[in-house]
Amino acid sequence: MAMDSSAKVIDGKAVAKQIRDEITAEVSRIREATGVIPGLAVILVGDRKDSATYVRNKKKACESVGINSLEANLPEDSTEEEVLNYISGYNDDPSVHGILVQLPLPSHMNEQNILNAVRIEKDVDGFHPLNIGRLAMRGRDPLFVPCTPKGCIELLHRYNISIKGKRAVVIGRSNIVGMPAALLLQREDATVSIVHSRTSNPEEIIRQADIIISAVGKANMVRGSWIKPGAVIIDVGINPVDDPNSPRGYKLVGDVCYEEAIKVASAVTPVPGGVGPMTIAMLLQNTLISAKRVHNFE
């Protein structure tokens, strides 16, 4: 591939819209056949602006596809027990098919205890250790796959980018994105390496990749010179950087230097408008899957 030709832009917004349209059709099909409306409950603790924005977006997205959304807003100084009580109520409520605890939680709470309290059948975030364990095992299937990594793989599928036999590098090893993304790539028969903060010579490893999924949260860390010509880049990072020309005083960029990457890669996701819209689309899809599973609806 010639170095001066520019990469195909992977349009996450357009793909997410397509998926939401598919979900809308399925939601009305299950409602007409069984009277069931899929329901998602979101628990938000505290008043972090970014978390509140995410929750608002999730609510809007639910409404747009016909999914019922419930919301519990708890003050920052709530006890862990109060959060667990809400989870327990939603666990027992048959009209709720998915429960999502918005992270991060306030520092006085034990995140593990709280996430483990969500019934695995309603764990639409895919963070329950049993779901992750099944994801890691050959021949087992998790009930739900975590939304962001699932969205990354879905983008590759919908752009007909083959994964089988390819060398894939995942940058970052978080429980939410990096680690499950590596497991998903492995399930698709890629040969996977994970690069993290303790990796020596990360650029050497990254340069061998046919597919890069970056989820490290460092603005423009991956330079054009680190990318193998023709590689495919899925950039999960959303990092604010100062920009005096922007009305907000900052702009959002990914982990990968987009201006450089687009000259070398064969396909790349923009930030914003790449992986972000896919995460919410996958959450809606998981909620629909959950409702269908409970009611044995094909």
Side-chain angles (χ1 to χ4, degrees):
M1 171 175 165
M3 291 289 279
D4 57 351
S5 68
S6 94
K8 184 195 295 177
V9 176
I10 295 176
D11 186 344
K13 242 181 172 160
V15 175
K17 177 168 184 339
Q18 196 183 342
I19 292 169
R20 294 224 302 258
D21 291 345
E22 292 162 13
I23 293 168
T24 306
E26 281 298 286
V27 168
S28 68
R29 198 169 71 86
I30 186 171
R31 194 181 58 226
E32 280 158 26
T34 64
V36 169
I37 299 174
L40 174 68
V42 181
I43 297 171
L44 174 63
V45 187
D47 44 16
R48 278 180 63 125
K49 277 202 173 60
D50 56 349
S51 291
T53 305
Y54 291 142
V55 169
R56 218 174 26 251
N57 290 344
K58 284 165 186 169
K59 196 174 179 165
K60 273 210 287 240
C62 281
E63 283 161 9
S64 74
V65 298
I67 287 175
N68 212 350
S69 80
L70 297 84
E71 203 180 313
N73 288 326
L74 287 83
E76 179 83 26
D77 58 1
S78 303
T79 64
E80 199 168 302
E81 199 169 336
E82 287 172 297
V83 179
L84 291 171
N85 282 339
Y86 268 97
I87 291 174
S88 161
Y90 288 141
N91 276 339
D92 296 339
D93 183 344
S95 73
V96 171
H97 302 96
I99 301 170
L100 182 143
V101 180
Q102 184 64 48
L103 301 178
L105 288 162
S107 55
H108 66 277
M109 292 188 180
N110 182 325
E111 196 171 279
Q112 256 181 354
N113 284 350
I114 288 174
L115 292 180
N116 290 355
V118 174
R119 266 179 60 190
I120 187 170
E121 296 82 3
K122 299 191 179 191
D123 170 40
V124 286
D125 250 341
F127 295 157
H128 194 288
L130 286 176
N131 272 325
I132 295 291
R134 288 175 178 176
L135 184 63
M137 293 169 78
R138 289 179 68 93
R140 294 287 185 91
D141 284 314
L143 292 178
F144 303 101
V145 173
C147 302
T148 301
K150 184 182 184 182
C152 295
I153 302 296
E154 190 67 32
L155 283 175
L156 295 172
H157 286 168
R158 299 234 174 187
Y159 272 83
N160 296 319
I161 292 160
S162 109
I163 303 174
K164 198 178 190 156
K166 295 288 169 63
R167 299 189 88 158
V169 169
V170 176
I171 309 173
R173 53 177 170 179
S174 72
N175 288 338
I176 293 177
V177 185
M179 191 261 307
L183 293 173
L184 283 169
L185 287 163
Q186 203 162 289
R187 279 181 101 98
E188 299 262 350
D189 299 321
T191 301
V192 186
S193 307
I194 299 176
V195 167
H196 49 78
S197 56
R198 305 284 183 274
T199 303
S200 50
N201 306 333
E203 52 269 49
E204 271 176 41
I205 298 168
I206 293 165
R207 208 174 284 125
Q208 297 171 13
D210 303 306
I211 297 168
I212 297 168
I213 295 182
S214 182
V216 73
K218 274 194 172 162
N220 298 325
M221 181 187 101
V222 178
R223 313 304 304 195
S225 60
W226 296 21
I227 298 164
K228 172 180 172 178
V232 173
I233 298 169
I234 306 288
D235 190 348
V236 183
I238 301 181
N239 311 295
V241 296
D242 292 337
D243 179 12
N245 301 325
S246 155
R248 292 182 296 192
Y250 67 91
K251 63 176 181 179
L252 296 174
V253 301
D255 296 340
V256 179
C257 182
Y258 186 78
E259 289 71 24
E260 295 174 10
I262 203 143
K263 295 181 181 138
V264 191
S266 63
V268 58
T269 58
V271 175
V275 176
M278 291 298 291
T279 297
I280 290 188
M282 296 297 104
L283 173 66
L284 301 174
Q285 195 179 68
N286 280 351
T287 305
L288 172 65
I289 288 169
S290 178
K292 283 177 152 183
R293 189 185 285 130
V294 173
H295 297 279
N296 292 320
F297 186 78
E298 288 301 322

